[in-house]
Amino acid sequence: LERLPDDGVRQVLRAAGVADPDAALREADGVPGQYGLLGSPEFDPCSLQARPTDLLRRRQHTKAALVAGAALVVCGALLGLPGDGWGPDGAAAPPYAQNPAAEAALDPGRLTKAAPAAWETSARTDFSVWPARGGLTGDEELLRRALAVWARPGESVGVSATSGTATGGPAGPPQLLYAGEVDTARVVVLHDGLRLVRYAEPKDGSAGAALDFARTDGAGRAAATAVVLGRSDGNVRYLTAPWVTKAAARDLVEPDSGARELTLSDGVTSPLASPVQQRSGACTSWNALELTDGSDTRVVTDLGELVPARLTTGRPGAAKDASGAKALDAWAPYACSLGAVRGQGVRSVNAWEFATQPLPDGTGSGAWVCTRAETWRGEGARVLAQFRTPGGVQGAVAAKAQDVPACGERDPQVLAGVLWKSEGGHWYLLAAGGPDTESIEATGGISDFADGNLLTAKAEQGARAELKGTLGGGRTIGGLR
Protein backbone atom coordinates (compact mmCIF):
# COMPACT_ATOMS: atom_id res chain seq x y z
CA LEU A 1 0.00 0.00 0.00
CA GLU A 2 2.81 2.41 0.86
CA ARG A 3 4.97 1.27 -2.09
CA LEU A 4 7.92 0.76 0.25
CA PRO A 5 11.00 -1.23 -0.75
CA ASP A 6 11.57 -4.45 1.13
CA ASP A 7 14.02 -2.83 3.57
CA GLY A 8 11.46 -0.18 4.37
CA VAL A 9 8.78 -2.82 4.94
CA ARG A 10 11.08 -4.73 7.29
CA GLN A 11 11.72 -1.56 9.28
CA VAL A 12 8.00 -0.83 9.65
CA LEU A 13 7.21 -4.42 10.61
CA ARG A 14 9.94 -4.45 13.26
CA ALA A 15 8.54 -1.20 14.69
CA ALA A 16 5.09 -2.87 14.76
CA GLY A 17 6.50 -5.77 16.78
CA VAL A 18 6.54 -8.47 14.08
CA ALA A 19 8.86 -11.24 15.20
CA ASP A 20 9.95 -12.45 11.74
CA PRO A 21 9.63 -9.70 9.07
CA ASP A 22 11.37 -11.85 6.43
CA ALA A 23 8.77 -14.62 6.80
CA ALA A 24 5.98 -12.03 6.57
CA LEU A 25 7.46 -10.69 3.32
CA ARG A 26 7.71 -14.18 1.83
CA GLU A 27 4.12 -14.89 2.77
CA ALA A 28 2.92 -11.62 1.24
CA ASP A 29 4.85 -12.34 -1.97
CA GLY A 30 2.92 -15.59 -2.30
CA VAL A 31 -0.47 -13.88 -2.47
CA PRO A 32 -1.73 -13.78 -6.11
CA GLY A 33 -2.51 -10.33 -7.53
CA GLN A 34 -1.25 -8.63 -4.41
CA TYR A 35 -0.50 -5.20 -5.87
CA GLY A 36 -3.77 -4.88 -7.76
CA LEU A 37 -5.58 -5.91 -4.61
CA LEU A 38 -3.85 -3.35 -2.40
CA GLY A 39 -4.33 -0.61 -5.00
CA SER A 40 -8.06 -1.14 -5.38
CA PRO A 41 -10.40 1.27 -3.55
CA GLU A 42 -12.50 -1.65 -2.31
CA PHE A 43 -9.58 -2.87 -0.22
CA ASP A 44 -8.19 0.44 1.03
CA PRO A 45 -7.38 -0.69 4.61
CA CYS A 46 -8.05 2.83 5.90
CA SER A 47 -11.65 2.92 4.56
CA LEU A 48 -14.72 1.19 5.92
CA GLN A 49 -16.43 -1.04 3.31
CA ALA A 50 -20.11 -1.73 3.91
CA ARG A 51 -20.66 -4.17 1.02
CA PRO A 52 -18.77 -6.99 -0.70
CA THR A 53 -16.29 -5.98 -3.36
CA ASP A 54 -17.20 -6.45 -6.99
CA LEU A 55 -13.64 -7.32 -7.95
CA LEU A 56 -13.20 -10.58 -6.01
CA ARG A 57 -14.97 -13.85 -6.36
CA ARG A 58 -16.44 -15.53 -3.33
CA ARG A 59 -13.70 -18.16 -3.22
CA GLN A 60 -11.08 -15.40 -2.76
CA HIS A 61 -12.73 -13.86 0.29
CA THR A 62 -10.64 -15.77 2.79
CA LYS A 63 -7.28 -14.82 1.21
CA ALA A 64 -8.45 -11.22 0.72
CA ALA A 65 -9.48 -10.92 4.33
CA LEU A 66 -6.07 -12.13 5.47
CA VAL A 67 -4.27 -9.66 3.19
CA ALA A 68 -6.54 -6.76 4.18
CA GLY A 69 -6.08 -7.58 7.83
CA ALA A 70 -2.31 -7.59 7.49
CA ALA A 71 -2.41 -4.29 5.63
CA LEU A 72 -4.68 -2.82 8.30
CA VAL A 73 -2.14 -3.74 10.95
CA VAL A 74 0.56 -1.92 8.96
CA CYS A 75 -1.70 1.12 8.39
CA GLY A 76 -2.57 1.23 12.06
CA ALA A 77 1.10 1.08 12.96
CA LEU A 78 1.83 3.99 10.67
CA LEU A 79 -1.03 6.18 11.87
CA GLY A 80 -1.13 5.17 15.50
CA LEU A 81 2.52 5.38 16.49
CA PRO A 82 3.09 6.28 20.16
CA GLY A 83 2.22 9.85 20.98
CA ASP A 84 -0.79 12.12 20.98
CA GLY A 85 -3.57 11.78 18.41
CA TRP A 86 -2.83 10.06 15.12
CA GLY A 87 0.90 10.61 15.13
CA PRO A 88 3.23 13.60 14.70
CA ASP A 89 2.15 14.49 11.14
CA GLY A 90 -1.59 14.09 11.56
CA ALA A 91 -3.35 13.76 8.23
CA ALA A 92 -0.29 14.74 6.20
CA ALA A 93 0.70 12.57 3.28
CA PRO A 94 3.98 10.64 3.50
CA PRO A 95 7.04 12.80 2.77
CA TYR A 96 7.60 10.99 -0.53
CA ALA A 97 4.01 11.49 -1.75
CA GLN A 98 3.51 13.54 -4.89
CA ASN A 99 1.57 16.80 -4.50
CA PRO A 100 0.02 18.19 -7.69
CA ALA A 101 0.24 21.84 -6.57
CA ALA A 102 3.89 21.47 -5.53
CA GLU A 103 4.72 19.75 -8.81
CA ALA A 104 3.00 22.51 -10.81
CA ALA A 105 5.03 25.12 -8.95
CA LEU A 106 8.23 23.46 -10.18
CA ASP A 107 7.16 23.24 -13.82
CA PRO A 108 8.71 26.10 -15.88
CA GLY A 109 6.01 25.58 -18.48
CA ARG A 110 3.39 26.70 -15.96
CA LEU A 111 5.05 29.97 -14.95
CA THR A 112 2.63 32.87 -15.30
CA LYS A 113 3.52 35.90 -17.39
CA ALA A 114 1.70 39.23 -17.53
CA ALA A 115 0.90 40.65 -20.96
CA PRO A 116 3.36 43.38 -22.03
CA ALA A 117 0.68 46.08 -21.81
CA ALA A 118 -1.29 44.69 -18.86
CA TRP A 119 -0.16 47.50 -16.57
CA GLU A 120 -1.77 50.11 -18.84
CA THR A 121 -5.32 48.84 -18.26
CA SER A 122 -5.13 46.86 -15.01
CA ALA A 123 -6.79 48.18 -11.86
CA ARG A 124 -3.62 47.14 -10.08
CA THR A 125 -0.22 48.69 -10.70
CA ASP A 126 2.20 46.58 -8.73
CA PHE A 127 4.56 43.69 -9.39
CA SER A 128 1.67 41.50 -10.59
CA VAL A 129 1.47 43.44 -13.87
CA TRP A 130 5.17 43.51 -14.66
CA PRO A 131 5.82 41.68 -17.94
CA ALA A 132 8.49 39.00 -18.23
CA ARG A 133 11.68 40.57 -19.57
CA GLY A 134 15.22 39.48 -20.33
CA GLY A 135 16.89 37.41 -23.01
CA LEU A 136 16.46 34.04 -21.24
CA THR A 137 12.73 33.94 -20.58
CA GLY A 138 12.51 30.95 -22.93
CA ASP A 139 15.37 28.99 -21.31
CA GLU A 140 13.38 26.23 -19.60
CA GLU A 141 16.46 24.57 -18.13
CA LEU A 142 17.47 27.79 -16.37
CA LEU A 143 13.93 28.35 -15.14
CA ARG A 144 13.70 24.74 -13.97
CA ARG A 145 16.90 25.14 -11.96
CA ALA A 146 15.66 28.39 -10.43
CA LEU A 147 12.37 26.79 -9.34
CA ALA A 148 14.07 23.66 -8.01
CA VAL A 149 16.58 25.69 -5.98
CA TRP A 150 13.76 27.85 -4.63
CA ALA A 151 11.92 24.73 -3.45
CA ARG A 152 15.00 22.86 -2.21
CA PRO A 153 18.10 25.06 -1.80
CA GLY A 154 21.20 22.91 -1.40
CA GLU A 155 24.11 23.48 0.95
CA SER A 156 26.06 25.44 -1.68
CA VAL A 157 23.26 27.99 -2.16
CA GLY A 158 23.59 31.32 -0.37
CA VAL A 159 20.14 32.27 0.91
CA SER A 160 19.19 35.73 2.19
CA ALA A 161 15.84 37.19 3.15
CA THR A 162 14.58 40.50 4.46
CA SER A 163 13.46 40.41 8.06
CA GLY A 164 10.07 38.74 8.43
CA THR A 165 10.15 37.09 4.99
CA ALA A 166 9.40 33.38 4.65
CA THR A 167 11.89 31.38 2.57
CA GLY A 168 9.72 28.37 1.75
CA GLY A 169 8.90 27.20 -1.75
CA PRO A 170 6.05 28.57 -3.87
CA ALA A 171 2.51 27.39 -3.19
CA GLY A 172 1.75 27.31 -6.92
CA PRO A 173 3.22 28.44 -10.23
CA PRO A 174 4.83 31.87 -9.59
CA GLN A 175 5.04 34.80 -11.99
CA LEU A 176 8.14 35.35 -14.09
CA LEU A 177 9.44 38.92 -14.08
CA TYR A 178 12.92 38.51 -15.52
CA ALA A 179 15.35 35.93 -16.86
CA GLY A 180 18.60 37.06 -18.43
CA GLU A 181 22.31 37.66 -18.08
CA VAL A 182 23.44 40.37 -15.67
CA ASP A 183 27.18 41.02 -15.61
CA THR A 184 28.75 37.65 -14.69
CA ALA A 185 25.55 35.84 -13.70
CA ARG A 186 22.34 34.40 -15.08
CA VAL A 187 19.48 35.89 -13.08
CA VAL A 188 15.83 34.92 -12.66
CA VAL A 189 13.33 37.10 -10.78
CA LEU A 190 10.03 35.56 -9.70
CA HIS A 191 6.98 36.84 -7.82
CA ASP A 192 4.43 34.76 -5.91
CA GLY A 193 2.05 37.54 -4.89
CA LEU A 194 3.67 38.07 -1.49
CA ARG A 195 7.39 37.82 -2.20
CA LEU A 196 9.99 38.63 -4.79
CA VAL A 197 12.60 35.93 -5.30
CA ARG A 198 15.86 36.38 -7.17
CA TYR A 199 17.89 33.36 -8.29
CA ALA A 200 21.43 33.93 -9.61
CA GLU A 201 23.99 31.44 -10.90
CA PRO A 202 27.47 32.02 -12.36
CA LYS A 203 27.57 32.26 -16.15
CA ASP A 204 30.78 30.24 -16.32
CA GLY A 205 29.05 27.18 -14.90
CA SER A 206 31.03 27.16 -11.66
CA ALA A 207 29.43 25.93 -8.47
CA GLY A 208 27.43 28.17 -6.20
CA ALA A 209 24.15 30.01 -6.56
CA ALA A 210 22.32 32.73 -4.65
CA LEU A 211 18.69 32.95 -3.62
CA ASP A 212 17.26 36.21 -2.24
CA PHE A 213 13.78 36.78 -0.80
CA ALA A 214 11.92 40.03 -0.08
CA ARG A 215 8.39 40.76 1.06
CA THR A 216 6.37 42.94 -1.30
CA ASP A 217 2.81 42.43 -0.05
CA GLY A 218 0.81 45.63 -0.24
CA ALA A 219 3.11 47.24 -2.79
CA GLY A 220 1.45 49.90 -4.94
CA ARG A 221 2.67 51.83 -7.93
CA ALA A 222 5.01 54.00 -5.85
CA ALA A 223 6.62 51.02 -4.09
CA ALA A 224 6.82 48.67 -7.09
CA THR A 225 9.21 50.83 -9.11
CA ALA A 226 12.44 48.81 -9.17
CA VAL A 227 14.13 45.56 -8.16
CA VAL A 228 17.83 44.95 -7.67
CA LEU A 229 19.04 42.61 -10.43
CA GLY A 230 22.64 42.32 -9.31
CA ARG A 231 25.64 43.87 -7.59
CA SER A 232 29.14 43.74 -9.02
CA ASP A 233 32.34 45.68 -8.32
CA GLY A 234 30.54 48.04 -5.94
CA ASN A 235 27.82 48.80 -8.50
CA VAL A 236 24.16 47.88 -8.64
CA ARG A 237 21.80 47.30 -11.57
CA TYR A 238 18.03 47.60 -11.34
CA LEU A 239 15.08 46.21 -13.25
CA THR A 240 12.54 49.05 -13.37
CA ALA A 241 8.76 48.97 -13.61
CA PRO A 242 7.30 49.03 -17.13
CA TRP A 243 5.81 52.48 -16.45
CA VAL A 244 9.25 54.00 -15.74
CA THR A 245 10.37 56.07 -18.73
CA LYS A 246 13.62 57.54 -17.42
CA ALA A 247 16.25 56.68 -14.80
CA ALA A 248 19.06 58.75 -13.31
CA ALA A 249 21.58 58.57 -10.48
CA ARG A 250 21.73 61.27 -7.79
CA ASP A 251 24.08 61.98 -4.92
CA LEU A 252 21.79 62.87 -2.02
CA VAL A 253 24.62 64.52 -0.12
CA GLU A 254 25.31 66.88 -3.06
CA PRO A 255 21.87 67.71 -4.51
CA ASP A 256 23.27 70.60 -6.55
CA SER A 257 25.51 68.24 -8.50
CA GLY A 258 22.56 67.27 -10.68
CA ALA A 259 21.37 63.91 -11.95
CA ARG A 260 23.42 61.55 -14.10
CA GLU A 261 21.18 59.88 -16.67
CA LEU A 262 21.24 56.08 -16.80
CA THR A 263 20.46 54.04 -19.89
CA LEU A 264 17.43 51.75 -19.82
CA SER A 265 17.60 48.54 -21.87
CA ASP A 266 14.44 46.45 -21.64
CA GLY A 267 13.90 47.98 -18.22
CA VAL A 268 17.44 47.27 -16.98
CA THR A 269 19.53 50.24 -15.85
CA SER A 270 23.19 50.78 -16.52
CA PRO A 271 25.25 50.30 -13.33
CA LEU A 272 25.55 52.93 -10.62
CA ALA A 273 27.64 52.96 -7.46
CA SER A 274 25.79 51.47 -4.51
CA PRO A 275 25.93 53.14 -1.07
CA VAL A 276 25.77 49.66 0.46
CA GLN A 277 29.49 49.27 -0.26
CA GLN A 278 30.42 52.25 1.93
CA ARG A 279 32.49 51.29 4.93
CA SER A 280 32.76 52.94 8.32
CA GLY A 281 34.29 56.39 8.32
CA ALA A 282 33.35 59.74 6.88
CA CYS A 283 30.24 59.63 4.69
CA THR A 284 30.82 61.96 1.77
CA SER A 285 28.18 60.70 -0.70
CA TRP A 286 25.02 58.65 -0.90
CA ASN A 287 23.77 57.51 -4.29
CA ALA A 288 20.08 57.20 -5.02
CA LEU A 289 18.06 56.20 -8.07
CA GLU A 290 15.70 58.79 -9.56
CA LEU A 291 12.85 57.32 -11.62
CA THR A 292 10.46 59.20 -13.87
CA ASP A 293 6.93 57.85 -14.22
CA GLY A 294 4.99 60.13 -16.54
CA SER A 295 4.71 63.42 -14.67
CA ASP A 296 5.82 61.88 -11.36
CA THR A 297 9.41 61.52 -10.17
CA ARG A 298 10.42 59.19 -7.35
CA VAL A 299 13.70 58.68 -5.54
CA VAL A 300 14.70 55.29 -4.13
CA THR A 301 17.92 54.03 -2.60
CA ASP A 302 19.66 50.69 -2.21
CA LEU A 303 19.73 49.54 1.41
CA GLY A 304 21.29 46.15 0.68
CA GLU A 305 18.12 44.27 -0.16
CA LEU A 306 16.10 43.17 -3.17
CA VAL A 307 13.72 46.13 -3.21
CA PRO A 308 15.11 49.67 -2.83
CA ALA A 309 13.54 51.96 -0.23
CA ARG A 310 11.38 54.90 -1.30
CA LEU A 311 12.41 58.32 0.04
CA THR A 312 9.80 60.92 0.98
CA THR A 313 9.62 64.27 2.79
CA GLY A 314 6.93 66.11 4.73
CA ARG A 315 4.61 65.76 7.69
CA PRO A 316 3.54 62.14 8.26
CA GLY A 317 0.24 61.51 6.56
CA ALA A 318 0.98 64.13 3.90
CA ALA A 319 4.48 63.09 2.85
CA LYS A 320 5.48 63.31 -0.82
CA ASP A 321 8.24 61.79 -2.91
CA ALA A 322 11.65 63.35 -2.37
CA SER A 323 11.78 64.92 -5.82
CA GLY A 324 12.47 68.52 -6.70
CA ALA A 325 15.12 70.89 -5.43
CA LYS A 326 13.45 71.67 -2.11
CA ALA A 327 12.96 68.02 -1.14
CA LEU A 328 16.47 67.06 -2.20
CA ASP A 329 17.93 69.94 -0.19
CA ALA A 330 15.91 68.75 2.82
CA TRP A 331 17.38 65.25 2.55
CA ALA A 332 21.01 66.28 1.96
CA PRO A 333 22.12 66.69 5.63
CA TYR A 334 20.45 63.41 6.66
CA ALA A 335 21.27 61.11 3.74
CA CYS A 336 24.15 59.43 5.56
CA SER A 337 21.83 58.43 8.41
CA LEU A 338 20.27 55.91 5.99
CA GLY A 339 23.21 53.66 6.80
CA ALA A 340 21.60 52.98 10.19
CA VAL A 341 18.69 51.12 8.56
CA ARG A 342 20.55 49.02 5.99
CA GLY A 343 19.40 45.40 5.86
CA GLN A 344 16.28 45.99 7.99
CA GLY A 345 13.59 45.25 5.39
CA VAL A 346 12.85 48.96 4.94
CA ARG A 347 10.01 49.94 2.63
CA SER A 348 10.25 53.73 2.84
CA VAL A 349 12.01 56.49 4.78
CA ASN A 350 10.48 59.89 5.45
CA ALA A 351 12.31 63.03 6.56
CA TRP A 352 10.22 65.73 8.28
CA GLU A 353 11.52 69.04 9.61
CA PHE A 354 9.19 69.44 12.58
CA ALA A 355 10.75 72.55 14.20
CA THR A 356 13.23 75.39 13.77
CA GLN A 357 14.85 76.66 16.97
CA PRO A 358 16.74 79.98 17.47
CA LEU A 359 20.08 79.37 19.17
CA PRO A 360 20.64 81.19 22.51
CA ASP A 361 23.93 82.77 21.45
CA GLY A 362 22.32 84.52 18.48
CA THR A 363 24.27 82.61 15.82
CA GLY A 364 21.20 81.54 13.90
CA SER A 365 18.64 78.75 14.13
CA GLY A 366 18.95 75.01 14.33
CA ALA A 367 16.72 72.58 12.42
CA TRP A 368 14.96 69.61 14.02
CA VAL A 369 14.23 66.70 11.66
CA CYS A 370 12.84 63.26 12.35
CA THR A 371 13.49 60.42 9.91
CA ARG A 372 11.24 57.38 10.12
CA ALA A 373 12.00 54.12 8.32
CA GLU A 374 8.91 51.96 7.72
CA THR A 375 9.33 48.22 7.06
CA TRP A 376 7.51 45.85 4.73
CA ARG A 377 6.48 43.69 7.69
CA GLY A 378 4.86 46.62 9.54
CA GLU A 379 6.81 46.29 12.78
CA GLY A 380 10.40 47.29 13.44
CA ALA A 381 10.05 50.94 12.32
CA ARG A 382 13.07 53.06 13.31
CA VAL A 383 12.86 56.75 14.22
CA LEU A 384 15.75 59.19 14.49
CA ALA A 385 15.42 62.75 15.79
CA GLN A 386 18.28 64.81 14.37
CA PHE A 387 19.46 68.35 15.08
CA ARG A 388 21.50 70.47 12.68
CA THR A 389 23.11 73.78 13.53
CA PRO A 390 23.57 76.57 10.95
CA GLY A 391 26.22 75.62 8.44
CA GLY A 392 26.33 72.02 9.64
CA VAL A 393 26.96 69.55 6.84
CA GLN A 394 25.14 66.70 8.55
CA GLY A 395 22.54 66.37 11.25
CA ALA A 396 23.47 64.96 14.66
CA VAL A 397 21.31 62.20 16.10
CA ALA A 398 19.71 63.54 19.28
CA ALA A 399 17.38 60.60 20.01
CA LYS A 400 16.31 57.33 18.45
CA ALA A 401 13.65 54.71 19.02
CA GLN A 402 12.20 51.56 17.48
CA ASP A 403 8.67 50.20 17.31
CA VAL A 404 7.08 53.48 18.44
CA PRO A 405 4.31 55.38 16.61
CA ALA A 406 6.08 58.73 17.01
CA CYS A 407 6.75 60.70 13.85
CA GLY A 408 4.55 58.30 11.88
CA GLU A 409 1.26 58.47 10.06
CA ARG A 410 -0.63 57.00 13.04
CA ASP A 411 0.90 59.53 15.44
CA PRO A 412 2.95 62.35 13.91
CA GLN A 413 3.80 63.84 17.32
CA VAL A 414 7.44 63.90 18.37
CA LEU A 415 9.52 65.50 21.13
CA ALA A 416 13.32 65.45 21.44
CA GLY A 417 16.12 67.31 23.16
CA VAL A 418 19.88 67.72 22.96
CA LEU A 419 22.69 69.27 25.01
CA TRP A 420 24.34 71.99 22.95
CA LYS A 421 27.49 74.01 23.57
CA SER A 422 27.58 77.59 22.32
CA GLU A 423 30.59 79.23 20.72
CA GLY A 424 31.08 81.05 24.02
CA GLY A 425 31.47 77.72 25.84
CA HIS A 426 28.08 77.68 27.59
CA TRP A 427 25.90 74.56 27.72
CA TYR A 428 22.17 74.54 27.02
CA LEU A 429 19.34 72.05 26.78
CA LEU A 430 17.53 72.56 23.50
CA ALA A 431 14.23 70.72 23.11
CA ALA A 432 11.55 70.86 20.45
CA GLY A 433 8.21 69.28 19.66
CA GLY A 434 6.02 69.28 16.59
CA PRO A 435 3.67 72.15 15.66
CA ASP A 436 0.89 70.67 17.85
CA THR A 437 2.99 70.91 21.03
CA GLU A 438 1.67 73.65 23.36
CA SER A 439 4.27 73.38 26.16
CA ILE A 440 7.44 71.52 27.15
CA GLU A 441 8.65 70.70 30.65
CA ALA A 442 12.11 69.44 31.65
CA THR A 443 12.66 67.66 34.96
CA GLY A 444 15.51 65.76 36.60
CA GLY A 445 19.01 67.12 36.10
CA ILE A 446 17.52 70.21 34.42
CA SER A 447 14.28 71.87 35.52
CA ASP A 448 12.54 74.32 33.23
CA PHE A 449 9.25 75.00 31.47
CA ALA A 450 8.30 76.77 28.25
CA ASP A 451 5.08 77.55 26.45
CA GLY A 452 4.99 76.54 22.83
CA ASN A 453 6.95 73.82 21.06
CA LEU A 454 10.47 75.08 21.90
CA LEU A 455 12.46 75.02 25.15
CA THR A 456 15.89 76.51 25.81
CA ALA A 457 17.39 76.02 29.29
CA LYS A 458 20.83 76.57 30.79
CA ALA A 459 22.55 73.31 31.62
CA GLU A 460 25.81 71.73 32.74
CA GLN A 461 27.89 69.39 30.63
CA GLY A 462 26.63 65.81 31.02
CA ALA A 463 23.34 66.83 32.63
CA ARG A 464 20.32 64.58 31.94
CA ALA A 465 16.68 65.58 31.87
CA GLU A 466 13.27 64.04 31.36
CA LEU A 467 11.07 65.78 28.80
CA LYS A 468 7.30 66.01 28.76
CA GLY A 469 5.28 67.77 26.11
CA THR A 470 1.64 68.78 26.30
CA LEU A 471 -0.44 68.81 23.12
CA GLY A 472 -3.62 70.65 22.33
CA GLY A 473 -6.44 68.89 24.15
CA GLY A 474 -4.25 68.00 27.12
CA ARG A 475 -2.55 64.84 25.86
CA THR A 476 1.08 64.45 27.01
CA ILE A 477 4.00 62.86 25.24
CA GLY A 478 7.49 61.92 26.40
CA GLY A 479 10.82 62.61 24.79
CA LEU A 480 11.90 60.23 22.05
CA ARG A 481 14.33 57.59 23.32
Side-chain angles (χ1 to χ4, degrees):
L1 176 68
E2 298 293 342
R3 298 290 191 267
L4 293 174
D6 285 356
D7 289 341
V9 174
R10 290 188 183 94
Q11 183 178 358
V12 172
L13 291 177
R14 290 192 190 97
V18 175
D20 191 349
D22 290 330
L25 275 174
R26 288 193 298 271
E27 184 177 356
D29 287 339
V31 178
Q34 54 194 348
Y35 296 113
L37 173 65
L38 291 176
S40 66
E42 283 82 357
F43 275 89
D44 180 352
C46 299
S47 300
L48 173 65
Q49 303 296 330
R51 60 181 175 79
T53 155
D54 294 332
L55 300 181
L56 299 176
R57 295 189 297 272
R58 295 283 182 179
R59 61 188 176 85
Q60 294 178 310
H61 281 183
T62 301
K63 292 182 179 180
L66 291 174
V67 172
L72 183 59
V73 170
V74 174
C75 184
L78 290 173
L79 294 177
L81 291 175
D84 296 335
W86 284 93
D89 294 329
Y96 47 80
Q98 294 179 331
N99 183 290
E103 290 181 339
L106 299 179
D107 184 356
R110 297 195 183 188
L111 285 171
T112 62
K113 299 177 183 178
W119 64 273
E120 297 180 18
T121 56
S122 173
R124 297 176 59 174
T125 48
D126 54 18
F127 293 109
S128 68
V129 294
W130 280 31
R133 287 169 288 179
L136 299 178
T137 55
D139 188 338
E140 289 206 355
E141 291 305 314
L142 170 63
L143 300 178
R144 190 183 306 278
R145 289 195 298 273
L147 292 169
V149 171
W150 180 358
R152 304 183 306 277
E155 294 181 357
S156 64
V157 178
V159 180
S160 72
T162 59
S163 182
T165 304
T167 58
Q175 180 185 352
L176 177 63
L177 302 187
Y178 181 85
E181 294 185 352
V182 181
D183 297 322
T184 60
R186 285 185 288 265
V187 176
V188 178
V189 179
L190 301 162
H191 180 240
D192 70 353
L194 298 175
R195 300 170 294 173
L196 281 175
V197 181
R198 181 185 63 188
Y199 167 81
E201 64 179 29
K203 280 199 303 186
D204 59 10
S206 59
L211 196 63
D212 303 305
F213 295 84
R215 285 183 65 165
T216 57
D217 45 318
R221 189 182 186 109
T225 55
V227 175
V228 172
L229 276 186
R231 296 186 178 90
S232 179
D233 299 326
N235 295 321
V236 59
R237 287 183 188 267
Y238 295 91
L239 175 67
T240 61
W243 48 83
V244 170
T245 58
K246 184 178 178 182
R250 274 196 177 276
D251 183 356
L252 291 180
V253 176
E254 298 288 345
D256 295 334
S257 61
R260 178 175 62 86
E261 187 172 352
L262 302 173
T263 61
L264 281 177
S265 177
D266 201 18
V268 180
T269 68
S270 53
L272 69 153
S274 170
V276 173
Q277 304 299 326
Q278 292 183 3
R279 303 301 180 186
S280 58
C283 173
T284 58
S285 67
W286 190 279
N287 280 344
L289 178 66
E290 186 176 84
L291 301 171
T292 300
D293 167 13
S295 60
D296 296 326
T297 300
R298 297 186 174 90
V299 176
V300 299
T301 188
D302 181 17
L303 292 180
E305 296 171 325
L306 202 51
V307 183
R310 178 189 177 197
L311 302 181
T312 59
T313 58
R315 182 184 174 92
K320 298 181 179 180
D321 285 286
S323 61
K326 184 177 180 180
L328 292 172
D329 287 341
W331 254 110
Y334 312 102
C336 290
S337 67
L338 289 167
V341 292
R342 277 187 290 210
Q344 302 298 315
V346 173
R347 176 182 186 141
S348 64
V349 188
N350 183 59
W352 175 41
E353 184 174 313
F354 62 91
T356 300
Q357 185 166 19
L359 299 178
D361 63 355
T363 57
S365 296
W368 284 96
V369 168
C370 70
T371 57
R372 181 180 175 93
E374 300 283 4
T375 68
W376 284 97
R377 63 190 183 276
E379 60 184 12
R382 293 194 174 191
V383 183
L384 299 179
Q386 303 186 59
F387 182 70
R388 184 170 69 97
T389 55
V393 177
Q394 297 181 9
V397 176
K400 56 185 176 181
Q402 184 166 328
D403 284 322
V404 297
C407 201
E409 188 170 346
R410 290 184 56 187
D411 186 5
Q413 310 304 330
V414 61
L415 174 63
V418 66
L419 283 177
W420 177 79
K421 184 179 180 181
S422 70
E423 293 182 357
H426 302 292
W427 286 91
Y428 295 89
L429 168 66
L430 305 179
D436 299 332
T437 304
E438 293 191 345
S439 65
I440 299 175
E441 182 180 9
T443 57
I446 304 171
S447 296
D448 210 331
F449 178 88
D451 288 322
N453 68 329
L454 302 173
L455 181 146
T456 301
K458 291 183 178 181
E460 298 292 336
Q461 182 179 3
R464 302 178 67 87
E466 294 289 331
L467 297 175
K468 182 176 75 172
T470 302
L471 308 177
R475 176 190 163 197
T476 60
I477 60 173
L480 191 69
R481 60 171 61 199

